[in-house]
Amino acid sequence: MGPRRDVRFVSSGIKLPRASPTPAPAPAPAHALLSAALPFAHIGRAIDAAARRVAASFPRVPVARAETAAAPLPRRHGKDGGEERVLISEVAVRGKDGEPLERPELEEAAAAALRACRPNAALTVREVQEDVHRVVESGLFRSCMPVAVDTRDGIRLVFEVEPNQDFHGLVCEGANMLPSKFLDDSFRDRHGKIINIRHLDQVIKSVNGWYQERGLTGMVSYAEILSGGILRLQVSEAEVNNINIRFLDRRTGEPTIGKTQPDTILQQLTTKKGQAYNRAQVKRDVETILTMGIMEDVTIIPQPVGDSNKVDLVMNLVERPSGGFSAGGGISSGITNGPLSGLIGSFAYSHRNVFGRNKKLNLSLERGQIDSIFRLNYTDPWIDGDNKRTSRTVMVQNSRTPGTLIHSGDRPDHGAITIGRVTAGIEYSRPFRPKWSGTLGLIFQHAGARDDKGNPVIRDSYNSQLTASGNPYDDTVLAKLESVYTDSGDRSSTMFVFNVEQGLPILPEWLSFNRVTARLRQGYEIGPARLLLSASGGHVEGNFSPHEAFAIGGTNSVRGYEEGAVGSGRSYAVGSGEVSCRMFGPLEGVVFGDYGSDLGSGPKVPGDPAGARGKPGSGYGYGVGIRVDSPLGPLRLEYAFNDKQARRFHFGVGHRN
């Protein structure tokens, strides 16, 4: 008997047509835009759909009847009287033309996929359909057709399969963000082998996963096998079409006219028109705009553009008040005596968005028992037209600070000394590598000492000189270079600061010296505790003012000593270690130890003010403390002992330098 060709199963093939886009009823999240516009069904889903279509047309009759048999073939019925079963005497796998397959391993793969179809088994149509589905689902065959043949020994069931083509190349379109090496590695060992749809489906999933892991909106939207064994993948990536800025009223939430220039906002964004839409990148842009300090709230909403792969980004901005007047108080660490020692009152005016260009203007006045500082700062965080994000700061300052750090311990019959400075300069800063930033500046300083009546003095009560030039004032022009490394804002991270200052003797009487300083801080998390190690050091070479010497001792140096009481020298080194542990709420407990030394350089300071006052030149301190988190930074209250068995309370605001 000849084979019956009226019963067959053909898979849907590999080519997956592009589905029509589904319009979104409302602005959708970015990650859902492509799935709405370019749905993609995996290969396995297409095979399932094909199997269901064929199952509907599969005839509900016995697979075959012996045309010459006198009696019907043996049959069994289900317990519920459902589908008929036909006894199969032999099962075979052949090629599409009925001949054995050229590759025995393919025949073995197809036979291994069969579960129900076995010799001498009574089968239903559904069971045959399920095995056909399994053969195609193995991924090696593009079609599978069951053919029933009557023989003298019974019904022979032949599965005629058509293998996929051999893989000879890959074409990937639309993958602008995906590295070519990613797909090269996925198909590196597949050349010349049968195209396996299961492997292709895994590659598609890995491509989609690559986009998802990086916050990108992209996916494989189309796949097909071309003639000659060429695979073609079409990747769809969401592309940024336009970025629209909308200002909202901070009280009503309604659209309003903003004070900030749109260009000032757009230049802060790393997301640009025409780029692939990256959710992680957009999130970083939101954080960048918030750090400008002029916005109270920032949201970016993606909206699909018609049926295309493009999205419009709508940026909703709520501006903060531009600035105003403020008043407050503080504590100076340079004053250590008196019932109200160190108290400072302050008054300030600030404008954080001058001309709507994010330029900062700060005008402040601080006044204490002895201290006074008038400061004017004007900062442009990003100079127009610069592609390196360079900032510029112009500064003018007039200050009067206690001279106790270097010239403390004055005799009772002499009044206190203060150091007056008039400073003006300009600085340029920019990030030049990830986690690294640099500052270059030129600063003029006019500084000298005064007595308690405000008169200029050139020697203190120990007859130590107060200026390097011998004049009432020293003039200096400093060229400054600073480099800062930090891996995050967390105190447990690494921070390194390196600073070089060079005095330029533009006029003969102006000071010429070189000053180098460095600071390093490293934190470690050890279970519930945190270990923080810090070190700092510096050296000055040349002709410099005595009051510019490095002062050692005090709240931000060696605790247990008064400010500057350990020593003052041309060189210094200070090391500190502390272990802190959260107690409850915002409260932390701290155990610490400090050590500092002038490295024997105290006598090299003009006038040797440390030697005249009997400062030891080195010392250590240790103690305990508590810290409380506050909007101004941690409030630090510490009780320390030094190596002279003296005890001292220290109070500070913010992190130690």
Side-chain angles (χ1 to χ4, degrees):
M1 299 291 178
R4 293 188 55 180
R5 301 281 181 176
D6 58 329
V7 179
R8 64 179 61 201
F9 179 93
V10 181
S11 75
S12 62
I14 313 305
K15 187 172 182 179
L16 301 180
R18 188 188 303 270
S20 58
T22 304
H31 65 271
L33 292 178
L34 278 182
S35 58
L38 295 166
F40 176 79
H42 288 310
I43 302 300
R45 299 180 189 173
I47 295 174
D48 289 339
R52 287 194 295 270
R53 291 196 300 271
V54 174
S57 60
F58 205 100
R60 294 185 176 275
V61 296
V63 175
R65 288 180 181 274
E67 296 181 359
T68 59
L73 292 173
R75 297 188 186 140
R76 292 180 297 174
H77 294 271
K79 294 181 180 180
D80 57 354
E83 293 186 82
E84 293 181 284
R85 292 184 177 274
V86 176
L87 182 63
I88 302 299
S89 62
E90 182 183 357
V91 178
V93 176
R94 293 291 183 266
K96 190 176 181 181
D97 53 3
E99 298 296 326
L101 295 171
E102 295 180 0
R103 299 182 181 181
E105 66 271 15
L106 291 177
E107 183 175 334
E108 294 173 359
L114 301 177
R115 295 289 183 269
C117 296
R118 292 286 186 266
N120 301 318
L123 305 175
T124 65
V125 172
R126 180 181 298 276
E127 290 172 335
V128 175
Q129 291 172 346
E130 290 173 350
D131 270 358
V132 167
H133 181 85
R134 292 188 186 99
V135 171
V136 177
E137 199 177 39
S138 69
L140 298 172
F141 307 97
R142 62 180 305 173
S143 66
C144 178
M145 178 176 63
V147 179
V149 181
D150 290 341
T151 69
R152 293 177 182 248
D153 299 325
I155 296 178
R156 182 170 182 256
L157 184 59
V158 179
F159 290 89
E160 295 185 357
V161 296
E162 182 180 0
N164 293 328
Q165 302 178 61
D166 290 344
F167 175 72
H168 290 295
L170 173 70
V171 176
C172 184
E173 300 173 353
N176 299 319
M177 302 287 292
L178 185 71
S180 58
K181 187 177 183 299
F182 185 88
L183 289 176
D184 290 343
D185 292 343
S186 300
F187 290 95
R188 186 177 301 279
D189 58 348
R190 311 299 299 183
H191 190 80
K193 298 181 180 180
I194 288 288
I195 295 175
N196 191 325
I197 305 306
R198 297 176 70 89
H199 172 259
L200 177 60
D201 193 49
Q202 292 174 358
V203 172
I204 291 171
K205 290 178 180 178
S206 66
V207 170
N208 294 343
W210 184 91
Y211 282 97
Q212 184 175 1
E213 289 171 4
R214 288 156 180 79
L216 299 170
T217 304
M219 64 187 303
V220 178
S221 58
Y222 189 79
E224 65 175 332
I225 300 178
L226 305 175
S227 60
I230 304 298
L231 275 177
R232 176 176 174 267
L233 297 180
Q234 178 68 47
V235 176
S236 296
E237 298 175 345
E239 179 183 313
V240 177
N241 183 51
N242 286 316
I243 303 176
N244 302 316
I245 294 178
R246 181 171 60 183
F247 293 95
L248 302 180
D249 187 272
R250 60 195 304 265
R251 293 184 178 86
T252 65
E254 296 296 323
T256 186
I257 298 175
K259 298 178 181 178
T260 306
Q261 299 293 329
D263 291 346
T264 301
I265 300 297
L266 293 175
Q267 74 173 358
Q268 300 286 337
L269 305 180
T270 56
T271 301
K272 304 296 183 182
K273 180 178 180 179
Q275 289 182 348
Y277 175 64
N278 186 330
R279 297 189 302 277
Q281 185 178 11
V282 168
K283 182 180 178 181
R284 290 193 298 269
D285 285 339
V286 168
E287 294 172 351
T288 298
I289 295 173
L290 287 173
T291 58
M292 295 170 64
I294 61 176
M295 297 298 164
E296 189 173 286
D297 188 33
V298 179
T299 57
I300 297 181
I301 302 174
Q303 295 182 343
V305 180
D307 296 338
S308 66
N309 299 341
K310 298 183 178 182
V311 294
D312 283 340
L313 299 183
V314 179
M315 183 182 302
N316 293 322
L317 303 174
V318 178
E319 292 180 307
R320 297 174 59 186
S322 297
F325 295 94
S326 63
I331 296 177
S332 170
S333 61
I335 303 177
T336 59
N337 298 315
L340 300 177
S341 63
L343 292 181
I344 298 176
S346 65
F347 176 82
Y349 170 80
S350 65
H351 196 298
R352 60 176 61 94
N353 196 12
V354 179
F355 308 124
R357 293 290 185 181
N358 191 34
K359 303 180 191 300
K360 317 292 184 183
L361 175 65
N362 291 284
L363 179 66
S364 64
L365 174 64
E366 297 177 2
R367 179 72 180 179
Q369 291 174 292
I370 299 177
D371 305 53
S372 67
I373 300 177
F374 170 80
R375 183 184 296 113
L376 173 65
N377 278 30
Y378 179 75
T379 301
D380 185 351
W382 192 344
I383 300 174
D384 294 341
D386 177 73
N387 60 357
K388 302 295 184 181
R389 302 181 72 94
T390 303
S391 67
R392 177 178 55 217
T393 298
V394 178
M395 174 267 298
V396 176
Q397 179 175 296
N398 187 353
S399 65
R400 185 164 61 96
T401 58
T404 53
L405 293 179
I406 307 298
H407 300 278
S408 61
D410 284 341
R411 295 169 182 174
D413 56 337
H414 291 75
I417 291 177
T418 60
I419 307 299
R421 295 180 178 88
V422 176
T423 305
I426 185 170
E427 293 183 351
Y428 292 88
S429 301
R430 55 173 267 196
F432 55 87
R433 289 191 64 186
K435 303 180 183 180
W436 281 94
S437 62
T439 299
L440 181 66
L442 193 65
I443 301 169
F444 171 79
Q445 179 175 278
H446 178 75
R450 298 182 183 182
D451 59 18
D452 55 348
K453 297 179 181 180
N455 299 316
V457 291
I458 59 175
R459 291 189 176 272
D460 63 15
S461 58
Y462 290 87
N463 203 33
S464 297
Q465 65 186 83
L466 296 172
T467 61
S469 63
N471 300 322
Y473 294 94
D474 287 330
D475 292 326
T476 310
V477 172
L478 291 174
K480 172 185 175 182
L481 176 63
E482 183 179 75
S483 180
V484 178
Y485 171 87
T486 178
D487 58 0
S488 76
D490 195 311
R491 289 189 62 222
S492 295
S493 64
T494 302
M495 186 273 292
F496 175 70
V497 179
F498 181 74
N499 187 291
V500 178
E501 294 177 327
Q502 177 64 55
L504 305 177
I506 299 177
L507 296 179
E509 62 272 18
W510 289 8
L511 302 186
S512 174
F513 62 90
N514 179 265
R515 176 164 47 206
V516 178
T517 59
R519 291 184 287 124
L520 174 65
R521 184 178 67 204
Q522 176 67 60
Y524 301 93
E525 297 290 342
I526 306 175
R530 179 170 55 193
L531 172 64
L532 186 64
L533 302 177
S534 61
S536 61
H539 177 71
V540 181
E541 192 67 40
N543 188 25
F544 72 106
S545 303
H547 55 77
E548 297 285 356
F550 297 112
I552 309 166
T555 302
N556 289 314
S557 180
V558 180
R559 286 162 284 192
Y561 280 91
E562 292 187 10
E563 301 297 324
V566 173
S568 52
R570 282 180 175 266
S571 306
Y572 89 103
V574 172
S576 176
E578 60 184 43
V579 177
S580 61
C581 187
R582 182 73 64 181
M583 298 172 63
F584 53 87
L587 195 65
E588 274 188 341
V590 182
V591 178
F592 61 84
D594 306 324
Y595 175 80
S597 171
D598 65 5
L599 305 178
S601 65
K604 299 178 183 179
V605 175
D608 188 15
R613 289 158 177 78
K615 296 182 180 181
S618 64
Y620 64 85
Y622 56 91
V624 296
I626 58 174
R627 301 216 175 126
V628 181
D629 288 337
S630 75
L632 300 177
L635 303 178
R636 300 183 282 125
L637 179 61
E638 298 156 338
Y639 186 65
F641 301 82
N642 65 24
D643 52 336
K644 306 299 182 183
Q645 303 307 313
R647 307 173 185 181
R648 187 171 182 82
F649 276 106
H650 295 274
F651 178 75
V653 179
H655 301 301
R656 278 166 51 90
N657 294 329

